[in-house]
Short mmCIF file of all heavy atoms in Angstrom, two decimals:
data_model
loop_
_atom_site.label_atom_id
_atom_site.label_comp_id
_atom_site.label_asym_id
_atom_site.label_seq_id
_atom_site.Cartn_x
_atom_site.Cartn_y
_atom_site.Cartn_z
N PHE A 314 -16.15 -17.17 2.47
CA PHE A 314 -16.03 -16.50 3.80
C PHE A 314 -15.34 -15.07 3.78
O PHE A 314 -15.00 -14.56 4.77
CB PHE A 314 -15.24 -17.36 4.77
CG PHE A 314 -15.96 -18.57 5.26
CD1 PHE A 314 -15.74 -19.78 4.65
CD2 PHE A 314 -16.87 -18.46 6.22
CE1 PHE A 314 -16.44 -20.90 5.11
CE2 PHE A 314 -17.69 -19.60 6.71
CZ PHE A 314 -17.39 -20.83 6.09
N SER A 315 -15.21 -14.63 2.53
CA SER A 315 -14.58 -13.29 2.32
C SER A 315 -13.23 -13.14 2.91
O SER A 315 -12.92 -12.09 3.65
CB SER A 315 -15.58 -12.11 2.79
OG SER A 315 -16.74 -12.27 2.14
N LEU A 316 -12.37 -14.14 2.75
CA LEU A 316 -11.04 -14.10 3.27
C LEU A 316 -10.07 -13.78 2.13
O LEU A 316 -9.96 -14.60 1.24
CB LEU A 316 -10.73 -15.47 3.89
CG LEU A 316 -11.57 -15.92 5.13
CD1 LEU A 316 -11.28 -17.34 5.48
CD2 LEU A 316 -11.29 -14.93 6.27
N ASP A 317 -9.41 -12.67 2.27
CA ASP A 317 -8.54 -12.18 1.12
C ASP A 317 -7.13 -12.82 1.33
O ASP A 317 -6.22 -12.22 1.85
CB ASP A 317 -8.47 -10.71 1.22
CG ASP A 317 -8.00 -10.07 -0.01
OD1 ASP A 317 -7.78 -10.85 -1.06
OD2 ASP A 317 -7.66 -8.84 -0.14
N GLY A 318 -6.99 -14.08 0.72
CA GLY A 318 -5.70 -14.73 0.83
C GLY A 318 -5.04 -14.90 -0.55
O GLY A 318 -5.44 -14.33 -1.51
N LEU A 319 -4.02 -15.84 -0.51
CA LEU A 319 -3.22 -15.97 -1.75
C LEU A 319 -4.03 -16.70 -2.83
O LEU A 319 -3.79 -16.46 -4.04
CB LEU A 319 -1.98 -16.85 -1.38
CG LEU A 319 -0.82 -16.06 -0.61
CD1 LEU A 319 0.31 -17.03 -0.33
CD2 LEU A 319 -0.33 -14.89 -1.41
N GLY A 320 -4.86 -17.60 -2.48
CA GLY A 320 -5.69 -18.33 -3.47
C GLY A 320 -6.53 -17.33 -4.26
O GLY A 320 -6.51 -17.36 -5.47
N LEU A 321 -7.22 -16.46 -3.54
CA LEU A 321 -8.01 -15.45 -4.24
C LEU A 321 -7.18 -14.50 -5.01
O LEU A 321 -7.52 -14.15 -6.13
CB LEU A 321 -8.93 -14.74 -3.26
CG LEU A 321 -9.94 -13.81 -3.72
CD1 LEU A 321 -10.98 -14.51 -4.65
CD2 LEU A 321 -10.69 -13.12 -2.57
N LEU A 322 -6.09 -14.13 -4.51
CA LEU A 322 -5.11 -13.20 -5.15
C LEU A 322 -4.68 -13.76 -6.49
O LEU A 322 -4.66 -13.13 -7.48
CB LEU A 322 -3.98 -12.88 -4.23
CG LEU A 322 -2.85 -12.01 -4.89
CD1 LEU A 322 -3.38 -10.56 -5.30
CD2 LEU A 322 -1.63 -11.96 -3.97
N GLY A 323 -4.24 -15.04 -6.41
CA GLY A 323 -3.72 -15.66 -7.60
C GLY A 323 -4.80 -15.81 -8.71
O GLY A 323 -4.57 -15.58 -9.92
N TYR A 324 -6.01 -16.17 -8.28
CA TYR A 324 -7.13 -16.34 -9.15
C TYR A 324 -7.47 -15.01 -9.92
O TYR A 324 -7.65 -14.92 -11.11
CB TYR A 324 -8.25 -16.93 -8.41
CG TYR A 324 -9.65 -17.06 -9.25
CD1 TYR A 324 -9.66 -18.06 -10.24
CD2 TYR A 324 -10.64 -16.19 -9.10
CE1 TYR A 324 -10.85 -18.20 -10.99
CE2 TYR A 324 -11.77 -16.28 -9.79
CZ TYR A 324 -11.90 -17.30 -10.75
OH TYR A 324 -13.06 -17.36 -11.47
N GLU A 325 -7.60 -14.01 -9.06
CA GLU A 325 -7.96 -12.67 -9.62
C GLU A 325 -6.84 -12.09 -10.51
O GLU A 325 -7.16 -11.45 -11.59
CB GLU A 325 -8.16 -11.74 -8.49
CG GLU A 325 -9.49 -11.95 -7.73
CD GLU A 325 -9.70 -11.00 -6.53
OE1 GLU A 325 -8.66 -10.37 -6.23
OE2 GLU A 325 -10.84 -10.95 -5.96
N SER A 326 -5.68 -12.43 -10.20
CA SER A 326 -4.42 -11.96 -11.06
C SER A 326 -4.50 -12.61 -12.37
O SER A 326 -4.14 -11.96 -13.41
CB SER A 326 -3.15 -12.19 -10.27
OG SER A 326 -3.11 -11.52 -9.06
N ILE A 327 -4.82 -13.87 -12.39
CA ILE A 327 -4.89 -14.60 -13.72
C ILE A 327 -5.92 -14.03 -14.57
O ILE A 327 -5.82 -13.79 -15.77
CB ILE A 327 -5.05 -16.07 -13.50
CG1 ILE A 327 -3.81 -16.68 -12.83
CG2 ILE A 327 -5.33 -16.81 -14.80
CD1 ILE A 327 -4.04 -18.15 -12.42
N LEU A 328 -7.13 -13.82 -13.98
CA LEU A 328 -8.23 -13.22 -14.71
C LEU A 328 -7.93 -11.81 -15.29
O LEU A 328 -8.32 -11.45 -16.42
CB LEU A 328 -9.50 -13.19 -13.88
CG LEU A 328 -10.15 -14.50 -13.49
CD1 LEU A 328 -11.38 -14.32 -12.68
CD2 LEU A 328 -10.44 -15.37 -14.70
N SER A 329 -7.26 -11.01 -14.46
CA SER A 329 -6.96 -9.68 -14.89
C SER A 329 -5.60 -9.53 -15.63
O SER A 329 -5.28 -8.44 -15.98
CB SER A 329 -6.83 -8.75 -13.69
OG SER A 329 -5.91 -9.12 -12.71
N ARG A 330 -4.96 -10.65 -15.90
CA ARG A 330 -3.71 -10.68 -16.58
C ARG A 330 -2.69 -9.75 -15.90
O ARG A 330 -1.87 -9.02 -16.54
CB ARG A 330 -3.84 -10.18 -18.03
CG ARG A 330 -4.78 -11.03 -18.86
CD ARG A 330 -4.34 -12.46 -19.01
NE ARG A 330 -5.13 -13.13 -20.02
CZ ARG A 330 -6.25 -13.77 -19.77
NH1 ARG A 330 -6.71 -13.94 -18.52
NH2 ARG A 330 -6.90 -14.42 -20.73
N ASP A 331 -2.60 -9.76 -14.55
CA ASP A 331 -1.63 -9.13 -13.79
C ASP A 331 -0.38 -9.95 -13.66
O ASP A 331 -0.17 -10.58 -12.61
CB ASP A 331 -2.19 -8.76 -12.33
CG ASP A 331 -1.43 -7.69 -11.70
OD1 ASP A 331 -0.31 -7.34 -12.11
OD2 ASP A 331 -1.96 -7.11 -10.66
N TYR A 332 0.41 -9.94 -14.71
CA TYR A 332 1.57 -10.90 -14.81
C TYR A 332 2.55 -10.78 -13.73
O TYR A 332 3.07 -11.80 -13.31
CB TYR A 332 2.18 -10.72 -16.23
CG TYR A 332 1.26 -11.01 -17.34
CD1 TYR A 332 1.43 -10.41 -18.59
CD2 TYR A 332 0.29 -12.02 -17.27
CE1 TYR A 332 0.63 -10.71 -19.64
CE2 TYR A 332 -0.51 -12.40 -18.32
CZ TYR A 332 -0.33 -11.68 -19.55
OH TYR A 332 -1.12 -11.94 -20.60
N PRO A 333 2.89 -9.65 -13.21
CA PRO A 333 3.90 -9.61 -12.14
C PRO A 333 3.36 -10.32 -10.87
O PRO A 333 4.13 -11.03 -10.24
CB PRO A 333 4.06 -8.09 -11.78
CG PRO A 333 3.77 -7.41 -13.12
CD PRO A 333 2.75 -8.20 -13.72
N VAL A 334 2.03 -10.18 -10.57
CA VAL A 334 1.50 -10.96 -9.48
C VAL A 334 1.42 -12.43 -9.78
O VAL A 334 1.71 -13.23 -8.83
CB VAL A 334 0.09 -10.36 -9.12
CG1 VAL A 334 -0.51 -11.21 -7.99
CG2 VAL A 334 0.16 -8.94 -8.71
N VAL A 335 1.10 -12.79 -11.00
CA VAL A 335 0.97 -14.24 -11.31
C VAL A 335 2.33 -14.86 -11.18
O VAL A 335 2.55 -15.92 -10.55
CB VAL A 335 0.50 -14.38 -12.77
CG1 VAL A 335 0.58 -15.83 -13.22
CG2 VAL A 335 -1.00 -13.93 -12.89
N LEU A 336 3.34 -14.29 -11.82
CA LEU A 336 4.72 -14.83 -11.66
C LEU A 336 5.34 -14.79 -10.34
O LEU A 336 6.01 -15.73 -9.77
CB LEU A 336 5.58 -14.19 -12.71
CG LEU A 336 5.37 -14.42 -14.23
CD1 LEU A 336 6.14 -13.51 -15.08
CD2 LEU A 336 5.67 -15.88 -14.59
N GLY A 337 5.02 -13.68 -9.64
CA GLY A 337 5.57 -13.55 -8.21
C GLY A 337 4.97 -14.52 -7.25
O GLY A 337 5.74 -15.15 -6.46
N THR A 338 3.69 -14.83 -7.32
CA THR A 338 3.07 -15.75 -6.43
C THR A 338 3.49 -17.11 -6.83
O THR A 338 3.68 -17.98 -5.88
CB THR A 338 1.53 -15.65 -6.53
OG1 THR A 338 1.11 -15.68 -7.84
CG2 THR A 338 1.05 -14.39 -5.93
N LEU A 339 3.62 -17.39 -8.19
CA LEU A 339 4.14 -18.72 -8.57
C LEU A 339 5.54 -18.96 -8.05
O LEU A 339 5.90 -20.06 -7.62
CB LEU A 339 4.12 -18.78 -10.12
CG LEU A 339 4.59 -20.10 -10.76
CD1 LEU A 339 3.69 -21.26 -10.32
CD2 LEU A 339 4.71 -20.01 -12.26
N TYR A 340 6.37 -17.96 -8.02
CA TYR A 340 7.71 -18.07 -7.49
C TYR A 340 7.69 -18.41 -5.97
O TYR A 340 8.40 -19.33 -5.55
CB TYR A 340 8.39 -16.70 -7.70
CG TYR A 340 9.83 -16.57 -7.18
CD1 TYR A 340 10.84 -17.43 -7.66
CD2 TYR A 340 10.14 -15.59 -6.23
CE1 TYR A 340 12.13 -17.31 -7.16
CE2 TYR A 340 11.41 -15.51 -5.75
CZ TYR A 340 12.46 -16.34 -6.23
OH TYR A 340 13.72 -16.21 -5.68
N ILE A 341 6.82 -17.74 -5.23
CA ILE A 341 6.73 -18.12 -3.84
C ILE A 341 6.17 -19.49 -3.63
O ILE A 341 6.66 -20.24 -2.74
CB ILE A 341 5.81 -17.03 -3.10
CG1 ILE A 341 6.36 -15.60 -3.31
CG2 ILE A 341 5.56 -17.33 -1.62
CD1 ILE A 341 7.70 -15.41 -2.55
N TYR A 342 5.15 -19.90 -4.42
CA TYR A 342 4.58 -21.21 -4.27
C TYR A 342 5.62 -22.27 -4.52
O TYR A 342 5.72 -23.24 -3.81
CB TYR A 342 3.46 -21.35 -5.29
CG TYR A 342 2.14 -20.53 -5.14
CD1 TYR A 342 1.22 -20.50 -6.12
CD2 TYR A 342 1.97 -19.89 -3.94
CE1 TYR A 342 0.07 -19.76 -5.91
CE2 TYR A 342 0.83 -19.13 -3.81
CZ TYR A 342 -0.14 -19.05 -4.73
OH TYR A 342 -1.20 -18.31 -4.59
N ALA A 343 6.39 -22.02 -5.59
CA ALA A 343 7.42 -23.06 -5.96
C ALA A 343 8.45 -23.15 -4.86
O ALA A 343 8.86 -24.33 -4.50
CB ALA A 343 8.06 -22.67 -7.30
N LEU A 344 8.96 -22.09 -4.33
CA LEU A 344 9.92 -22.10 -3.21
C LEU A 344 9.37 -22.86 -1.96
O LEU A 344 10.00 -23.70 -1.43
CB LEU A 344 10.29 -20.75 -2.81
CG LEU A 344 11.31 -19.98 -3.60
CD1 LEU A 344 11.49 -18.55 -3.13
CD2 LEU A 344 12.63 -20.69 -3.62
N ILE A 345 8.12 -22.55 -1.62
CA ILE A 345 7.49 -23.27 -0.46
C ILE A 345 7.38 -24.72 -0.73
O ILE A 345 7.64 -25.56 0.08
CB ILE A 345 6.13 -22.64 -0.11
CG1 ILE A 345 6.36 -21.20 0.33
CG2 ILE A 345 5.44 -23.39 0.96
CD1 ILE A 345 5.05 -20.43 0.65
N GLY A 346 6.95 -25.06 -1.97
CA GLY A 346 6.70 -26.47 -2.30
C GLY A 346 8.11 -27.27 -2.18
O GLY A 346 8.17 -28.41 -1.76
N LEU A 347 9.19 -26.66 -2.81
CA LEU A 347 10.49 -27.35 -2.72
C LEU A 347 10.95 -27.50 -1.35
O LEU A 347 11.53 -28.49 -0.99
CB LEU A 347 11.42 -26.58 -3.65
CG LEU A 347 11.09 -26.62 -5.16
CD1 LEU A 347 12.06 -25.68 -5.91
CD2 LEU A 347 11.28 -28.01 -5.68
N VAL A 348 10.76 -26.45 -0.53
CA VAL A 348 11.24 -26.55 0.88
C VAL A 348 10.49 -27.59 1.67
O VAL A 348 11.04 -28.38 2.44
CB VAL A 348 11.10 -25.20 1.57
CG1 VAL A 348 11.42 -25.28 3.07
CG2 VAL A 348 12.15 -24.19 0.91
#
Side-chain angles (χ1 to χ4, degrees):
F314 288 99
S315 300
L316 298 171
D317 195 6
L319 285 178
L321 186 58
L322 173 65
Y324 176 71
E325 291 178 344
S326 301
I327 293 173
L328 291 183
S329 63
R330 303 296 193 269
D331 197 346
Y332 295 149
V334 178
V335 173
L336 290 170
T338 52
L339 180 64
Y340 178 60
I341 299 296
Y342 292 169
L344 278 177
I345 294 176
L347 292 170
V348 171

